[in-house]
Amino acid sequence: DIRPGKGPEGLLCEGNRVGRARNLPDPGPNRPMSGKAESLMELARRDLALAKLIRTSDPGNAVFHLQQAAEKLAKAVLTVEGIMFGAGHQIGALAGALPSDHVFRPDLASFDRFSSYATATRYPLPGGGMPRLPTKEFLDLGIQEVASLVDEIDDYRRERATGQKPK
């Protein structure tokens, strides 16, 4: 029974739309999706490392990799929670799929300011000009904020996968 709606349902994607689905099963500890969440975390770490490495020499691509790291963190949390999502890059929409009281929702929602950088610095402007690059301050602060959540989200992922609190 898939339909858009309200209530305590889990979220399910429909194309690039996020909708609600009733009675999504809780896959429990060691669920198959934990491998996907682990892969998303590893890919987020790689994107963040690349953003740090090239932030001064290539800020346009650095901010793209920062956006990708933030997006993958959001998708890792959704995966851990058993919430399905589409292929879009809107970090705010991904964060909005989490319950309103979820511990990571506010931080992930704040990363929506990076969403446009999935494409903004990778293509010419409509008039043919070069895209505007982010400021050093914007990039450095973003890297710092995303980096501050990586280990915390990975600990949360491990805890949910094993049912044990991290040491």
Side-chain angles (χ1 to χ4, degrees), residues 44-79:
R45 286 180 192 281
R46 290 178 185 185
D47 278 316
L48 188 58
L50 188 53
K52 290 177 182 178
L53 182 68
I54 65 173
R55 73 178 180 259
T56 55
S57 64
D58 190 356
N61 280 314
V63 76
F64 165 74
H65 286 287
L66 172 62
Q67 182 281 332
Q68 288 289 289
E71 179 183 327
K72 287 169 185 145
L73 288 180
K75 288 180 175 181
V77 172
L78 289 169
T79 300

PDB file of all heavy atoms in Angstrom, residues 44-79:
ATOM      1  N   ALA A  44      31.584   9.002   1.400  1.00  0.00           N
ATOM      2  CA  ALA A  44      31.523  10.354   1.976  1.00  0.00           C
ATOM      3  C   ALA A  44      32.904  10.770   2.481  1.00  0.00           C
ATOM      4  O   ALA A  44      33.333  11.909   2.264  1.00  0.00           O
ATOM      5  CB  ALA A  44      30.501  10.408   3.104  1.00  0.00           C
ATOM      6  N   ARG A  45      33.598   9.853   3.135  1.00  0.00           N
ATOM      7  CA  ARG A  45      34.950  10.147   3.623  1.00  0.00           C
ATOM      8  C   ARG A  45      35.890  10.485   2.453  1.00  0.00           C
ATOM      9  O   ARG A  45      36.698  11.405   2.546  1.00  0.00           O
ATOM     10  CB  ARG A  45      35.512   8.966   4.402  1.00  0.00           C
ATOM     11  CG  ARG A  45      34.914   8.779   5.767  1.00  0.00           C
ATOM     12  CD  ARG A  45      35.545   7.563   6.460  1.00  0.00           C
ATOM     13  NE  ARG A  45      34.823   7.169   7.647  1.00  0.00           N
ATOM     14  CZ  ARG A  45      34.907   7.745   8.830  1.00  0.00           C
ATOM     15  NH1 ARG A  45      35.697   8.781   8.998  1.00  0.00           N
ATOM     16  NH2 ARG A  45      34.210   7.305   9.853  1.00  0.00           N
ATOM     17  N   ARG A  46      35.779   9.732   1.371  1.00  0.00           N
ATOM     18  CA  ARG A  46      36.632   9.982   0.200  1.00  0.00           C
ATOM     19  C   ARG A  46      36.325  11.337  -0.427  1.00  0.00           C
ATOM     20  O   ARG A  46      37.239  12.079  -0.789  1.00  0.00           O
ATOM     21  CB  ARG A  46      36.432   8.881  -0.840  1.00  0.00           C
ATOM     22  CG  ARG A  46      37.000   7.557  -0.416  1.00  0.00           C
ATOM     23  CD  ARG A  46      36.743   6.496  -1.462  1.00  0.00           C
ATOM     24  NE  ARG A  46      37.170   5.184  -1.015  1.00  0.00           N
ATOM     25  CZ  ARG A  46      37.144   4.105  -1.770  1.00  0.00           C
ATOM     26  NH1 ARG A  46      36.700   4.173  -3.017  1.00  0.00           N
ATOM     27  NH2 ARG A  46      37.544   2.946  -1.288  1.00  0.00           N
ATOM     28  N   ASP A  47      35.032  11.654  -0.572  1.00  0.00           N
ATOM     29  CA  ASP A  47      34.663  12.964  -1.122  1.00  0.00           C
ATOM     30  C   ASP A  47      35.171  14.087  -0.233  1.00  0.00           C
ATOM     31  O   ASP A  47      35.689  15.095  -0.724  1.00  0.00           O
ATOM     32  CB  ASP A  47      33.140  13.074  -1.284  1.00  0.00           C
ATOM     33  CG  ASP A  47      32.636  12.431  -2.563  1.00  0.00           C
ATOM     34  OD1 ASP A  47      33.258  12.637  -3.626  1.00  0.00           O
ATOM     35  OD2 ASP A  47      31.611  11.734  -2.505  1.00  0.00           O
ATOM     36  N   LEU A  48      35.033  13.926   1.074  1.00  0.00           N
ATOM     37  CA  LEU A  48      35.484  14.963   2.004  1.00  0.00           C
ATOM     38  C   LEU A  48      37.005  15.117   1.941  1.00  0.00           C
ATOM     39  O   LEU A  48      37.511  16.246   1.920  1.00  0.00           O
ATOM     40  CB  LEU A  48      35.032  14.624   3.420  1.00  0.00           C
ATOM     41  CG  LEU A  48      35.254  15.695   4.468  1.00  0.00           C
ATOM     42  CD1 LEU A  48      34.542  16.993   4.102  1.00  0.00           C
ATOM     43  CD2 LEU A  48      34.790  15.190   5.823  1.00  0.00           C
ATOM     44  N   ALA A  49      37.734  14.013   1.872  1.00  0.00           N
ATOM     45  CA  ALA A  49      39.199  14.079   1.775  1.00  0.00           C
ATOM     46  C   ALA A  49      39.619  14.799   0.493  1.00  0.00           C
ATOM     47  O   ALA A  49      40.547  15.615   0.509  1.00  0.00           O
ATOM     48  CB  ALA A  49      39.793  12.668   1.818  1.00  0.00           C
ATOM     49  N   LEU A  50      38.931  14.526  -0.597  1.00  0.00           N
ATOM     50  CA  LEU A  50      39.255  15.192  -1.858  1.00  0.00           C
ATOM     51  C   LEU A  50      38.924  16.684  -1.785  1.00  0.00           C
ATOM     52  O   LEU A  50      39.704  17.520  -2.251  1.00  0.00           O
ATOM     53  CB  LEU A  50      38.523  14.526  -3.020  1.00  0.00           C
ATOM     54  CG  LEU A  50      38.903  14.998  -4.414  1.00  0.00           C
ATOM     55  CD1 LEU A  50      40.403  14.929  -4.656  1.00  0.00           C
ATOM     56  CD2 LEU A  50      38.169  14.168  -5.456  1.00  0.00           C
ATOM     57  N   ALA A  51      37.786  17.019  -1.172  1.00  0.00           N
ATOM     58  CA  ALA A  51      37.429  18.435  -1.003  1.00  0.00           C
ATOM     59  C   ALA A  51      38.517  19.167  -0.225  1.00  0.00           C
ATOM     60  O   ALA A  51      38.915  20.278  -0.589  1.00  0.00           O
ATOM     61  CB  ALA A  51      36.081  18.559  -0.297  1.00  0.00           C
ATOM     62  N   LYS A  52      39.012  18.554   0.841  1.00  0.00           N
ATOM     63  CA  LYS A  52      40.090  19.164   1.641  1.00  0.00           C
ATOM     64  C   LYS A  52      41.359  19.335   0.811  1.00  0.00           C
ATOM     65  O   LYS A  52      42.017  20.368   0.881  1.00  0.00           O
ATOM     66  CB  LYS A  52      40.403  18.299   2.862  1.00  0.00           C
ATOM     67  CG  LYS A  52      39.332  18.299   3.916  1.00  0.00           C
ATOM     68  CD  LYS A  52      39.720  17.340   5.044  1.00  0.00           C
ATOM     69  CE  LYS A  52      38.645  17.268   6.107  1.00  0.00           C
ATOM     70  NZ  LYS A  52      38.997  16.306   7.173  1.00  0.00           N
ATOM     71  N   LEU A  53      41.683  18.307   0.042  1.00  0.00           N
ATOM     72  CA  LEU A  53      42.925  18.298  -0.726  1.00  0.00           C
ATOM     73  C   LEU A  53      42.963  19.387  -1.800  1.00  0.00           C
ATOM     74  O   LEU A  53      43.995  20.016  -2.015  1.00  0.00           O
ATOM     75  CB  LEU A  53      43.114  16.919  -1.381  1.00  0.00           C
ATOM     76  CG  LEU A  53      44.386  16.710  -2.186  1.00  0.00           C
ATOM     77  CD1 LEU A  53      45.606  16.716  -1.266  1.00  0.00           C
ATOM     78  CD2 LEU A  53      44.306  15.391  -2.954  1.00  0.00           C
ATOM     79  N   ILE A  54      41.840  19.629  -2.452  1.00  0.00           N
ATOM     80  CA  ILE A  54      41.829  20.564  -3.596  1.00  0.00           C
ATOM     81  C   ILE A  54      41.143  21.887  -3.298  1.00  0.00           C
ATOM     82  O   ILE A  54      40.932  22.683  -4.208  1.00  0.00           O
ATOM     83  CB  ILE A  54      41.200  19.888  -4.846  1.00  0.00           C
ATOM     84  CG1 ILE A  54      39.712  19.558  -4.617  1.00  0.00           C
ATOM     85  CG2 ILE A  54      41.982  18.652  -5.253  1.00  0.00           C
ATOM     86  CD1 ILE A  54      38.989  19.045  -5.862  1.00  0.00           C
ATOM     87  N   ARG A  55      40.829  22.159  -2.044  1.00  0.00           N
ATOM     88  CA  ARG A  55      40.034  23.355  -1.722  1.00  0.00           C
ATOM     89  C   ARG A  55      40.679  24.661  -2.171  1.00  0.00           C
ATOM     90  O   ARG A  55      39.987  25.597  -2.532  1.00  0.00           O
ATOM     91  CB  ARG A  55      39.638  23.381  -0.265  1.00  0.00           C
ATOM     92  CG  ARG A  55      40.740  23.694   0.687  1.00  0.00           C
ATOM     93  CD  ARG A  55      40.185  23.732   2.118  1.00  0.00           C
ATOM     94  NE  ARG A  55      41.204  24.030   3.062  1.00  0.00           N
ATOM     95  CZ  ARG A  55      41.802  23.132   3.818  1.00  0.00           C
ATOM     96  NH1 ARG A  55      41.481  21.871   3.730  1.00  0.00           N
ATOM     97  NH2 ARG A  55      42.729  23.499   4.671  1.00  0.00           N
ATOM     98  N   THR A  56      41.990  24.748  -2.153  1.00  0.00           N
ATOM     99  CA  THR A  56      42.621  25.998  -2.594  1.00  0.00           C
ATOM    100  C   THR A  56      42.962  25.975  -4.081  1.00  0.00           C
ATOM    101  O   THR A  56      42.855  26.992  -4.747  1.00  0.00           O
ATOM    102  CB  THR A  56      43.900  26.305  -1.783  1.00  0.00           C
ATOM    103  OG1 THR A  56      44.779  25.198  -1.849  1.00  0.00           O
ATOM    104  CG2 THR A  56      43.557  26.591  -0.332  1.00  0.00           C
ATOM    105  N   SER A  57      43.333  24.830  -4.608  1.00  0.00           N
ATOM    106  CA  SER A  57      43.729  24.755  -6.019  1.00  0.00           C
ATOM    107  C   SER A  57      42.540  24.652  -6.971  1.00  0.00           C
ATOM    108  O   SER A  57      42.633  25.067  -8.124  1.00  0.00           O
ATOM    109  CB  SER A  57      44.664  23.564  -6.255  1.00  0.00           C
ATOM    110  OG  SER A  57      43.997  22.340  -5.986  1.00  0.00           O
ATOM    111  N   ASP A  58      41.418  24.104  -6.519  1.00  0.00           N
ATOM    112  CA  ASP A  58      40.259  23.900  -7.389  1.00  0.00           C
ATOM    113  C   ASP A  58      38.962  23.991  -6.573  1.00  0.00           C
ATOM    114  O   ASP A  58      38.285  22.991  -6.339  1.00  0.00           O
ATOM    115  CB  ASP A  58      40.377  22.531  -8.072  1.00  0.00           C
ATOM    116  CG  ASP A  58      39.354  22.323  -9.175  1.00  0.00           C
ATOM    117  OD1 ASP A  58      38.489  23.190  -9.380  1.00  0.00           O
ATOM    118  OD2 ASP A  58      39.432  21.264  -9.833  1.00  0.00           O
ATOM    119  N   PRO A  59      38.616  25.207  -6.116  1.00  0.00           N
ATOM    120  CA  PRO A  59      37.460  25.349  -5.229  1.00  0.00           C
ATOM    121  C   PRO A  59      36.132  24.903  -5.856  1.00  0.00           C
ATOM    122  O   PRO A  59      35.239  24.443  -5.147  1.00  0.00           O
ATOM    123  CB  PRO A  59      37.437  26.828  -4.870  1.00  0.00           C
ATOM    124  CG  PRO A  59      38.331  27.504  -5.848  1.00  0.00           C
ATOM    125  CD  PRO A  59      39.280  26.484  -6.365  1.00  0.00           C
ATOM    126  N   GLY A  60      35.993  25.000  -7.165  1.00  0.00           N
ATOM    127  CA  GLY A  60      34.756  24.568  -7.813  1.00  0.00           C
ATOM    128  C   GLY A  60      34.526  23.077  -7.672  1.00  0.00           C
ATOM    129  O   GLY A  60      33.416  22.632  -7.349  1.00  0.00           O
ATOM    130  N   ASN A  61      35.548  22.307  -7.895  1.00  0.00           N
ATOM    131  CA  ASN A  61      35.418  20.861  -7.712  1.00  0.00           C
ATOM    132  C   ASN A  61      35.440  20.486  -6.239  1.00  0.00           C
ATOM    133  O   ASN A  61      34.811  19.505  -5.833  1.00  0.00           O
ATOM    134  CB  ASN A  61      36.489  20.110  -8.499  1.00  0.00           C
ATOM    135  CG  ASN A  61      36.105  19.988  -9.957  1.00  0.00           C
ATOM    136  OD1 ASN A  61      34.976  19.650 -10.291  1.00  0.00           O
ATOM    137  ND2 ASN A  61      37.039  20.288 -10.835  1.00  0.00           N
ATOM    138  N   ALA A  62      36.118  21.256  -5.415  1.00  0.00           N
ATOM    139  CA  ALA A  62      36.127  20.985  -3.976  1.00  0.00           C
ATOM    140  C   ALA A  62      34.728  21.112  -3.397  1.00  0.00           C
ATOM    141  O   ALA A  62      34.290  20.269  -2.610  1.00  0.00           O
ATOM    142  CB  ALA A  62      37.095  21.932  -3.267  1.00  0.00           C
ATOM    143  N   VAL A  63      33.994  22.150  -3.803  1.00  0.00           N
ATOM    144  CA  VAL A  63      32.641  22.333  -3.259  1.00  0.00           C
ATOM    145  C   VAL A  63      31.692  21.255  -3.796  1.00  0.00           C
ATOM    146  O   VAL A  63      30.769  20.832  -3.104  1.00  0.00           O
ATOM    147  CB  VAL A  63      32.110  23.764  -3.497  1.00  0.00           C
ATOM    148  CG1 VAL A  63      31.661  23.983  -4.938  1.00  0.00           C
ATOM    149  CG2 VAL A  63      30.987  24.095  -2.524  1.00  0.00           C
ATOM    150  N   PHE A  64      31.943  20.777  -5.017  1.00  0.00           N
ATOM    151  CA  PHE A  64      31.163  19.647  -5.531  1.00  0.00           C
ATOM    152  C   PHE A  64      31.380  18.425  -4.632  1.00  0.00           C
ATOM    153  O   PHE A  64      30.420  17.754  -4.224  1.00  0.00           O
ATOM    154  CB  PHE A  64      31.562  19.313  -6.973  1.00  0.00           C
ATOM    155  CG  PHE A  64      31.073  17.968  -7.425  1.00  0.00           C
ATOM    156  CD1 PHE A  64      29.740  17.757  -7.732  1.00  0.00           C
ATOM    157  CD2 PHE A  64      31.951  16.896  -7.522  1.00  0.00           C
ATOM    158  CE1 PHE A  64      29.280  16.506  -8.132  1.00  0.00           C
ATOM    159  CE2 PHE A  64      31.509  15.645  -7.928  1.00  0.00           C
ATOM    160  CZ  PHE A  64      30.163  15.444  -8.236  1.00  0.00           C
ATOM    161  N   HIS A  65      32.630  18.130  -4.293  1.00  0.00           N
ATOM    162  CA  HIS A  65      32.907  16.966  -3.450  1.00  0.00           C
ATOM    163  C   HIS A  65      32.414  17.175  -2.015  1.00  0.00           C
ATOM    164  O   HIS A  65      32.000  16.207  -1.361  1.00  0.00           O
ATOM    165  CB  HIS A  65      34.391  16.605  -3.497  1.00  0.00           C
ATOM    166  CG  HIS A  65      34.761  15.972  -4.794  1.00  0.00           C
ATOM    167  ND1 HIS A  65      34.398  14.684  -5.119  1.00  0.00           N
ATOM    168  CD2 HIS A  65      35.411  16.460  -5.873  1.00  0.00           C
ATOM    169  CE1 HIS A  65      34.828  14.406  -6.337  1.00  0.00           C
ATOM    170  NE2 HIS A  65      35.442  15.472  -6.820  1.00  0.00           N
ATOM    171  N   LEU A  66      32.412  18.411  -1.543  1.00  0.00           N
ATOM    172  CA  LEU A  66      31.809  18.712  -0.241  1.00  0.00           C
ATOM    173  C   LEU A  66      30.315  18.400  -0.279  1.00  0.00           C
ATOM    174  O   LEU A  66      29.779  17.756   0.631  1.00  0.00           O
ATOM    175  CB  LEU A  66      32.045  20.181   0.119  1.00  0.00           C
ATOM    176  CG  LEU A  66      31.317  20.690   1.362  1.00  0.00           C
ATOM    177  CD1 LEU A  66      31.774  19.930   2.603  1.00  0.00           C
ATOM    178  CD2 LEU A  66      31.553  22.181   1.510  1.00  0.00           C
ATOM    179  N   GLN A  67      29.637  18.842  -1.337  1.00  0.00           N
ATOM    180  CA  GLN A  67      28.206  18.556  -1.486  1.00  0.00           C
ATOM    181  C   GLN A  67      27.968  17.055  -1.526  1.00  0.00           C
ATOM    182  O   GLN A  67      27.052  16.537  -0.894  1.00  0.00           O
ATOM    183  CB  GLN A  67      27.676  19.220  -2.767  1.00  0.00           C
ATOM    184  CG  GLN A  67      26.196  19.040  -3.011  1.00  0.00           C
ATOM    185  CD  GLN A  67      25.809  17.688  -3.588  1.00  0.00           C
ATOM    186  OE1 GLN A  67      26.581  17.037  -4.279  1.00  0.00           O
ATOM    187  NE2 GLN A  67      24.605  17.257  -3.275  1.00  0.00           N
ATOM    188  N   GLN A  68      28.808  16.342  -2.270  1.00  0.00           N
ATOM    189  CA  GLN A  68      28.650  14.893  -2.386  1.00  0.00           C
ATOM    190  C   GLN A  68      28.846  14.216  -1.024  1.00  0.00           C
ATOM    191  O   GLN A  68      28.107  13.288  -0.684  1.00  0.00           O
ATOM    192  CB  GLN A  68      29.645  14.337  -3.404  1.00  0.00           C
ATOM    193  CG  GLN A  68      29.294  14.679  -4.835  1.00  0.00           C
ATOM    194  CD  GLN A  68      28.066  13.904  -5.291  1.00  0.00           C
ATOM    195  OE1 GLN A  68      28.122  12.707  -5.481  1.00  0.00           O
ATOM    196  NE2 GLN A  68      26.964  14.607  -5.449  1.00  0.00           N
ATOM    197  N   ALA A  69      29.808  14.666  -0.251  1.00  0.00           N
ATOM    198  CA  ALA A  69      30.033  14.094   1.083  1.00  0.00           C
ATOM    199  C   ALA A  69      28.808  14.312   1.971  1.00  0.00           C
ATOM    200  O   ALA A  69      28.345  13.384   2.644  1.00  0.00           O
ATOM    201  CB  ALA A  69      31.276  14.711   1.720  1.00  0.00           C
ATOM    202  N   ALA A  70      28.270  15.531   1.966  1.00  0.00           N
ATOM    203  CA  ALA A  70      27.092  15.830   2.784  1.00  0.00           C
ATOM    204  C   ALA A  70      25.889  15.007   2.330  1.00  0.00           C
ATOM    205  O   ALA A  70      25.138  14.473   3.159  1.00  0.00           O
ATOM    206  CB  ALA A  70      26.785  17.329   2.722  1.00  0.00           C
ATOM    207  N   GLU A  71      25.694  14.888   1.033  1.00  0.00           N
ATOM    208  CA  GLU A  71      24.588  14.096   0.491  1.00  0.00           C
ATOM    209  C   GLU A  71      24.718  12.630   0.903  1.00  0.00           C
ATOM    210  O   GLU A  71      23.739  11.995   1.312  1.00  0.00           O
ATOM    211  CB  GLU A  71      24.572  14.216  -1.029  1.00  0.00           C
ATOM    212  CG  GLU A  71      23.487  13.410  -1.709  1.00  0.00           C
ATOM    213  CD  GLU A  71      23.561  13.497  -3.223  1.00  0.00           C
ATOM    214  OE1 GLU A  71      23.969  14.551  -3.765  1.00  0.00           O
ATOM    215  OE2 GLU A  71      23.211  12.502  -3.876  1.00  0.00           O
ATOM    216  N   LYS A  72      25.917  12.093   0.826  1.00  0.00           N
ATOM    217  CA  LYS A  72      26.123  10.682   1.179  1.00  0.00           C
ATOM    218  C   LYS A  72      25.939  10.454   2.679  1.00  0.00           C
ATOM    219  O   LYS A  72      25.451   9.396   3.094  1.00  0.00           O
ATOM    220  CB  LYS A  72      27.483  10.212   0.686  1.00  0.00           C
ATOM    221  CG  LYS A  72      27.480  10.056  -0.833  1.00  0.00           C
ATOM    222  CD  LYS A  72      28.855   9.854  -1.409  1.00  0.00           C
ATOM    223  CE  LYS A  72      28.750   9.823  -2.934  1.00  0.00           C
ATOM    224  NZ  LYS A  72      29.882  10.428  -3.597  1.00  0.00           N
ATOM    225  N   LEU A  73      26.288  11.431   3.501  1.00  0.00           N
ATOM    226  CA  LEU A  73      26.010  11.304   4.934  1.00  0.00           C
ATOM    227  C   LEU A  73      24.505  11.218   5.168  1.00  0.00           C
ATOM    228  O   LEU A  73      24.029  10.377   5.944  1.00  0.00           O
ATOM    229  CB  LEU A  73      26.579  12.490   5.712  1.00  0.00           C
ATOM    230  CG  LEU A  73      28.088  12.565   5.865  1.00  0.00           C
ATOM    231  CD1 LEU A  73      28.476  13.814   6.659  1.00  0.00           C
ATOM    232  CD2 LEU A  73      28.644  11.318   6.529  1.00  0.00           C
ATOM    233  N   ALA A  74      23.751  12.093   4.504  1.00  0.00           N
ATOM    234  CA  ALA A  74      22.291  12.066   4.653  1.00  0.00           C
ATOM    235  C   ALA A  74      21.726  10.732   4.179  1.00  0.00           C
ATOM    236  O   ALA A  74      20.865  10.128   4.839  1.00  0.00           O
ATOM    237  CB  ALA A  74      21.662  13.227   3.881  1.00  0.00           C
ATOM    238  N   LYS A  75      22.216  10.241   3.061  1.00  0.00           N
ATOM    239  CA  LYS A  75      21.719   8.971   2.522  1.00  0.00           C
ATOM    240  C   LYS A  75      22.132   7.796   3.411  1.00  0.00           C
ATOM    241  O   LYS A  75      21.388   6.816   3.531  1.00  0.00           O
ATOM    242  CB  LYS A  75      22.197   8.789   1.089  1.00  0.00           C
ATOM    243  CG  LYS A  75      21.466   9.739   0.139  1.00  0.00           C
ATOM    244  CD  LYS A  75      21.920   9.600  -1.299  1.00  0.00           C
ATOM    245  CE  LYS A  75      21.065  10.500  -2.203  1.00  0.00           C
ATOM    246  NZ  LYS A  75      21.451  10.384  -3.622  1.00  0.00           N
ATOM    247  N   ALA A  76      23.284   7.883   4.066  1.00  0.00           N
ATOM    248  CA  ALA A  76      23.687   6.830   5.006  1.00  0.00           C
ATOM    249  C   ALA A  76      22.731   6.779   6.189  1.00  0.00           C
ATOM    250  O   ALA A  76      22.307   5.692   6.611  1.00  0.00           O
ATOM    251  CB  ALA A  76      25.123   7.059   5.474  1.00  0.00           C
ATOM    252  N   VAL A  77      22.379   7.936   6.735  1.00  0.00           N
ATOM    253  CA  VAL A  77      21.444   7.978   7.863  1.00  0.00           C
ATOM    254  C   VAL A  77      20.078   7.428   7.434  1.00  0.00           C
ATOM    255  O   VAL A  77      19.470   6.625   8.149  1.00  0.00           O
ATOM    256  CB  VAL A  77      21.327   9.403   8.449  1.00  0.00           C
ATOM    257  CG1 VAL A  77      20.210   9.486   9.479  1.00  0.00           C
ATOM    258  CG2 VAL A  77      22.649   9.844   9.055  1.00  0.00           C
ATOM    259  N   LEU A  78      19.600   7.847   6.272  1.00  0.00           N
ATOM    260  CA  LEU A  78      18.318   7.330   5.785  1.00  0.00           C
ATOM    261  C   LEU A  78      18.372   5.812   5.612  1.00  0.00           C
ATOM    262  O   LEU A  78      17.425   5.102   5.957  1.00  0.00           O
ATOM    263  CB  LEU A  78      17.949   7.994   4.461  1.00  0.00           C
ATOM    264  CG  LEU A  78      17.548   9.462   4.549  1.00  0.00           C
ATOM    265  CD1 LEU A  78      17.459  10.077   3.155  1.00  0.00           C
ATOM    266  CD2 LEU A  78      16.228   9.625   5.289  1.00  0.00           C
ATOM    267  N   THR A  79      19.473   5.312   5.103  1.00  0.00           N
ATOM    268  CA  THR A  79      19.629   3.873   4.912  1.00  0.00           C
ATOM    269  C   THR A  79      19.594   3.141   6.246  1.00  0.00           C
ATOM    270  O   THR A  79      18.906   2.124   6.396  1.00  0.00           O
ATOM    271  CB  THR A  79      20.944   3.576   4.156  1.00  0.00           C
ATOM    272  OG1 THR A  79      20.891   4.233   2.883  1.00  0.00           O
ATOM    273  CG2 THR A  79      21.141   2.091   3.948  1.00  0.00           C
TER     274      THR A  79
END
